[in-house]
Amino acid sequence: MGLIAFLKKKFKKEDNKENNLQVKYDEGLSKSRAAFADRLAALSKKYKKAESPYFEELEEILIEADVGVDLALRLVEKIIEKSKEESLSSIDELNEELIDLMFVSYLEKGSITNDLDFKETPVVLLMEGVNGVGKTTSIAKLAYRYQQLGKKVLLVAGDTFRAGATEQLAIWAQRLNVPLVVGKPGQDPASVAYDGVKKAKELSCDLVIVDTAGRLQNKANLMAELGKITRVISKEIPNAPQETFLVIDATTGQNGVEQAKKFSEANKVTGIVLTKMDGTSKGGIVLSIRENIGVPVRFIGLGEKMTDLEEFDLERYLHGLLVGTNDE
Ligand code: GDP
């Protein structure tokens, strides 16, 4: 069975609650789907044979779906190779093959575990991202998630530069009833992070989520700031931060990929939180980020509420990108 047939079957069987989640993926990816799956389907009507105009158009469609130029070229190269195999000559078959290649391209970058590993606690999770992407909301959502799973969570307001960042986090901390460590305005974020980690040890917390400044800055400054935070907290917990999540707004397309490049050059990003997947997203960036930076999407934001966070699911995502709600 091809991947599309498999996805159609899998997500048709589910109960209502599960389907709601799939509807969110499908709706969030509707624009990307129109730019990708619908045009892909049109190709098999337009071309009877696998020849250069088909390959050129395929490449264009992939690039416009935001999968990124490098991945688009690689996928088309593989499709050209496949087209030389006698058994794969029809456009439909090649399109199906392309979908399988996209699936594999994501997985071959390494195994993926979305959830945090609590074997050694406290786990320190550094949260990065430029202002406005949904970083504060994502911190609250993650805190809520792990609280629900019985973990003791502490928040650290490490963005001492932005007026209002601490206040916003304080509102969430109060709502969630979790301890919050704050610094003074303009205080070195590394020293606030240090205080936070120390406090977490005193309180025997399982998880410390550290907010960091969301200013767009040059690479050297970013490296210096994040490097200092890491150095300082690793004095208290040797391998901390165990996780560094970068928050990216799914509606920003290739701009989000550029942010991911910049942050992962500045420090080791271990996961992406992709927000606003309920909005009109440019869904191909999931594949593009994975291809260019190797970092997996771990969680996705599907709304503004505390409960609107889900583990990323590649199959649901591909269903949204390729099949959608209209299809039977
Ligand atoms: P920050 O500047 O990165 O900390 O961003 P905020 O957390 O303050 O979020 C900016 C805006 O995006 C707020 O209006 C949030 O409610 C909204 N937002 C965050 N995540 C999501 C999401 O997953 N879906 C939607 N629709 N809105 C979100």
Side-chain angles (χ1 to χ4, degrees), residues 131-137 141 162 168 276 278 301-304:
N131 288 334
V133 291
K135 182 159 54 78
T136 314
T137 315
K141 288 172 175 175
R162 183 165 60 138
Q168 209 189 334
K276 310 185 195 180
D278 53 315
L302 291 161
E304 297 183 271

Side-chain angles (χ1 to χ4, degrees), residues 27-229:
E27 284 177 359
L29 289 161
S30 62
K31 200 174 163 201
S32 308
R33 186 165 59 249
F36 183 68
D38 297 355
R39 289 177 67 192
L40 202 61
L43 281 187
S44 59
K45 296 200 178 72
K46 192 165 166 189
Y47 300 106
K48 292 287 158 267
K49 277 204 310 229
E51 50 196 6
S52 40
Y54 161 71
F55 298 126
E56 279 161 26
E57 205 171 321
L58 188 62
E59 189 180 304
E60 197 182 297
I61 291 172
L62 283 164
I63 291 171
E64 283 170 21
D66 272 312
V67 306
V69 176
D70 295 345
L71 180 59
L73 294 178
R74 203 157 64 86
L75 288 170
V76 172
E77 254 170 47
K78 286 197 176 163
I79 287 293
I80 293 175
E81 272 171 37
K82 290 276 174 194
S83 72
K84 290 179 184 151
E85 292 173 16
E86 256 175 56
S87 58
L88 280 176
S89 54
S90 86
I91 302 293
D92 273 337
E93 280 169 330
L94 288 174
N95 283 350
E96 185 73 41
E97 189 67 26
L98 174 79
I99 307 307
D100 290 350
L101 287 172
M102 287 168 77
F103 190 70
V104 171
S105 82
Y106 193 90
L107 296 178
E108 73 186 4
K109 295 270 169 183
S111 66
I112 303 153
T113 316
N114 289 332
D115 235 330
L116 300 177
D117 179 358
F118 288 98
K119 268 206 296 286
E120 282 170 41
T121 56
V123 171
V124 181
L125 166 61
L126 218 56
M127 294 291 285
E128 302 175 352
V130 304
N131 288 334
V133 291
K135 182 159 54 78
T136 314
T137 315
S138 299
I139 291 172
K141 288 172 175 175
L142 285 165
Y144 175 74
R145 173 190 171 86
Y146 287 106
Q147 206 180 30
Q148 292 301 302
L149 292 171
K151 305 295 177 197
K152 212 167 160 190
V153 184
L154 179 137
L155 302 182
V156 181
D159 184 354
T160 53
F161 291 91
R162 183 165 60 138
T166 301
E167 285 82 354
Q168 209 189 334
L169 205 59
I171 294 170
W172 281 114
Q174 202 178 16
R175 223 181 272 175
L176 291 158
N177 195 23
V178 297
L180 170 75
V181 171
V182 299
K184 296 181 191 71
Q187 186 181 336
D188 186 341
S191 79
V192 186
Y194 182 78
D195 291 345
V197 168
K198 245 181 115 180
K199 186 85 186 167
K201 280 172 81 176
E202 278 165 35
L203 298 176
S204 306
C205 289
D206 302 298
L207 175 63
V208 191
I209 308 180
V210 183
D211 189 16
T212 62
R215 297 163 300 159
L216 260 183
Q217 43 191 342
N218 67 41
K219 193 175 131 194
N221 286 343
L222 195 63
M223 262 171 113
E225 190 168 306
L226 297 172
K228 190 168 178 192
I229 294 178

